[in-house]
Structures are given as structure tokens and as C-alpha cells.
Amino acid sequence: MLIDTFGRVATDLRVSLTDRCNLRCAYCMPEEGLSWLAKPDLLTDDEIVRLIRTAVTSLGIEEVRFTGGEPLLRPGLVGIVERVAALAPRPRISLTTNGIGLARTAAALKAAGLDRVNVSLDTLRPDVFKTLARRDRHRDVLEGLRAAHEAGLTPVKVNSVLMPGLNDDEAPDLLAWAIEHDYELRFIEQMPLDAQHGWKREGMVTAQDILDSLRTRFELTPEDAGERGSAPAERWIVDGGPYRVGVIASVTRPFCAACDRTRLTADGQIRTCLFAGEETDLRAALRDGASDEEIGRIWRLAMWGKKAGSGLDDPAFLQPERPMSAIGG
């Protein structure tokens, strides 16, 4: 069991498979990209599967989410999913992706054992997408979403970040589009994920701004609080149901007290929080011949030291120095 001093138990493992990405989203990284990790620094497929197996069979992990960078860029992704799906007990397996390449891989990922996907899409306007992502790939994302739905990777969740002056007027249109296509939409407050440290608390589009905008077109009824559990998204029933929309208020309404996550970076570090300032090295232990029991001991000790919160609700919050692309969302 991965428990901390505040009584929280981690059952959800986020695994970053690569720090690389084929987009350059303005809220994530600079246009010229970053200095990527050297291949020897990355965990191998076997190392990833071994750490996940240890987490699932010995540490109480029930859900595994593959992230990046962009996880579809990992050459061995389908094989990794297949091996994780064969574990006993079998964890729930999901993937967070920008959707580029999903059209050609969705069916194979489903066959390998992937349960569902979260796809990032911030706008319905191709020109705005090009401005935000600095790449002209809007159609590829839409095709990836369609392929995921057809392959049965459901519920297909769409994650959207609204930014002032770019797409902050699109919330109602995005929700209407998601309902039309049977996707579950979740808005995420912009967080300080950018390596160039351009994030500013002042002027950000807040959860309340998003809800106010949605209510100009839809009736929103809060979902029963008991249904949320440890999920980061607060959800509202749209026009009486059955569709729902979620809002993740990471900055203005942090949900740290219910956090059940632990994170494994692309280079084998344990992070107790997306915004933690410290990491615990599992890669070195693996490559030095540590047993599964020793790896579990290191992991439990790391999680025991998890802090009460992310610090995002502190106006004096300082962004972490490590690029978020290697850590995963």
C-alpha cells in the first residue's frame, strides 16, 4: 500500500512514457521545443513493465494511465499495454494523448487491452489550434477522436484548456460539439506547466468563468458529491442528462486532500505530485539489481513523504524547474 502521513492511499499510477511531443502547445513548452532526454536515460519497455507489475501486485495500484510528452510516440506502446493488461490483478488502463496518430493505433491499442483515452483538444477552430499548438494538425486530432470512439475506447474524454484572448469564448461550442459526438468534455484550468515560465495567475480563465460561460446556453446541475470520489473533475449534469461536463479547478479549487495518484517519470523517478520539488530515483535501483521488494520499499517511503498540497493555491507559488513533458499529466 502507498500511504502518506495524511492518510491518503495512492491507487492511481501515472506513467510518462516519453518526454517528446509532436506539438508545441503554448501552455506547455516553447516553440523551439526542449532538450529531450537521452535514450539511455529513459526506462526501457521491460523496466516500465516491471515497475508497473510491482506497483499493481505489491503496492495496491488499481489504475494505470500512460502519459508523456506524447505517449503515442513511444515505439513499444502497444506491447507495453498488452503486458500490463495481462497482469493479475488486472489494472484499469487508460491513455492521455494529443490524438495525433490515434487514428492508426486506436484499434491496436484496444485489442492490446487499453480501456479508454483522454484526448486534448482546446478549440474547434483550425486557425486557433495552429496558434495554440504551433502545428497545423487539427484534422488529425478529430480523426483520432473518431477512431477511438469507433474502436470502443470509451468513454472518450476530451480535455480542454481555455486561454484568454484565444479560445476563452468557445466553452459552449465545445460542449455542444462533445454532446453531438458522444464525448465527455472536461475543462482544465491552465496550470503552470510551461517550461518558459510564461504562466500568470492574473487573467487566467477560472473554473467559475467556464461555468458562467456554459450557463449562457445550458442548464447545469451539480452531480451528487458522493459520485466524485477522488476524481479531479467536478461534474455537472447537462440539461437534465444524460450528458455531463467536468471542470478541473486545479488552481482555484485544489483537490489535494482526496489525491490518490503516484507518478513515474519517463526517466524512472517517482514524483508524489505533479508539482513536487523532489523526486525519488527508481531507475538507479533497478539498474543496480534491486529486488522487487526493495523497489517497493523505496516507493512506499517516497509516498510517505507526500506533502499536504500542490501549493497551486498559494499566490507565491513558484513553478518547478523540471519540464513537465517528462513528468506527465
Side-chain angles (χ1 to χ4, degrees):
M1 180 182 294
L2 296 172
I3 189 170
D4 64 34
T5 56
F6 299 93
R8 296 170 298 193
V9 178
T11 58
D12 184 338
L13 171 60
R14 304 297 169 100
V15 180
S16 175
L17 295 178
T18 178
D19 59 330
R20 297 174 184 266
C21 189
N22 40 18
L23 297 180
R24 298 290 182 270
C25 296
Y27 50 77
C28 185
M29 68 172 71
E31 186 170 4
E32 64 275 14
L34 298 165
S35 297
W36 308 123
L37 292 167
K39 187 173 181 179
D41 293 335
L42 294 171
L43 293 175
T44 66
D45 292 1
D46 287 344
E47 288 171 337
I48 289 170
V49 173
R50 181 182 170 192
L51 289 175
I52 294 174
R53 185 185 70 235
T54 300
V56 169
T57 61
S58 302
L59 300 176
I61 290 299
E62 300 172 356
E63 180 168 357
V64 176
R65 171 87 61 87
F66 292 113
T67 69
E70 173 45 54
L72 293 181
L73 295 178
R74 178 86 186 200
L77 173 61
V78 172
I80 291 172
V81 170
E82 187 172 30
R83 293 168 69 183
V84 172
L87 294 175
R90 183 197 189 281
R92 298 184 298 276
I93 309 171
S94 58
L95 177 81
T96 294
T97 172
N98 62 27
I100 297 173
L102 191 56
R104 65 175 180 270
T105 56
L109 286 167
K110 178 64 177 179
L114 189 69
D115 294 312
R116 65 171 191 82
V117 293
N118 285 31
V119 179
S120 298
L121 181 66
D122 303 317
T123 178
L124 298 176
R125 304 192 294 248
D127 59 324
V128 176
F129 182 94
K130 188 174 180 179
T131 299
L132 277 168
R134 304 185 179 111
R135 297 290 187 273
D136 190 10
R137 307 297 297 271
H138 190 257
R139 178 177 294 181
D140 295 319
V141 179
L142 296 181
E143 290 176 355
L145 279 161
R146 188 179 306 114
H149 194 277
E150 291 174 353
L153 293 170
T154 54
V156 175
K157 295 185 179 181
V158 176
N159 295 340
S160 297
V161 175
L162 300 183
M163 298 183 67
L166 285 172
N167 61 339
D168 53 342
D169 60 335
E170 286 197 67
D173 290 341
L174 281 163
L175 180 53
W177 166 83
I179 290 172
E180 178 185 354
H181 291 86
D182 194 30
Y183 304 144
E184 184 175 324
L185 180 63
R186 307 192 310 171
F187 292 99
I188 305 175
E189 285 184 336
Q190 184 191 357
M191 295 180 285
L193 302 178
D194 55 318
Q196 66 270 33
H197 292 190
W199 178 82
K200 296 287 186 273
R201 184 182 299 270
E202 301 79 16
M204 63 171 284
V205 181
T206 67
Q208 192 57 55
D209 295 333
I210 295 166
L211 292 170
D212 289 345
S213 178
L214 291 175
R215 287 186 171 115
T216 64
R217 196 182 306 179
F218 301 96
E219 178 185 344
L220 303 181
T221 306
E223 188 178 63
D224 187 279
E227 295 188 38
R228 181 180 182 184
S230 60
E234 297 177 79
R235 298 204 307 175
W236 280 262
I237 301 167
V238 181
D239 290 342
Y243 289 99
R244 286 163 168 74
V245 63
V247 179
I248 300 177
S250 304
V251 178
T252 60
R253 294 199 290 270
F255 39 85
C256 301
C259 181
D260 65 348
R261 297 178 185 177
T262 183
R263 299 175 181 275
L264 178 64
T265 69
D267 55 350
Q269 310 300 305
I270 288 298
R271 289 179 71 95
T272 59
C273 172
L274 188 61
F275 297 98
E278 308 84 23
E279 297 178 335
T280 301
D281 190 356
L282 287 185
R283 184 188 64 198
L286 272 176
R287 295 180 181 178
D288 286 343
S291 65
D292 289 352
E293 290 74 17
E294 176 62 12
I295 289 168
R297 186 194 68 80
I298 295 170
W299 206 327
R300 283 191 292 268
L301 186 60
M303 292 305 295
W304 182 251
K306 184 172 181 173
K307 295 181 179 179
S310 65
L312 280 177
D313 53 341
D314 182 354
F317 175 79
L318 297 175
Q319 293 132 286
E321 293 300 318
R322 183 157 158 81
M324 288 296 168
S325 60
I327 298 169

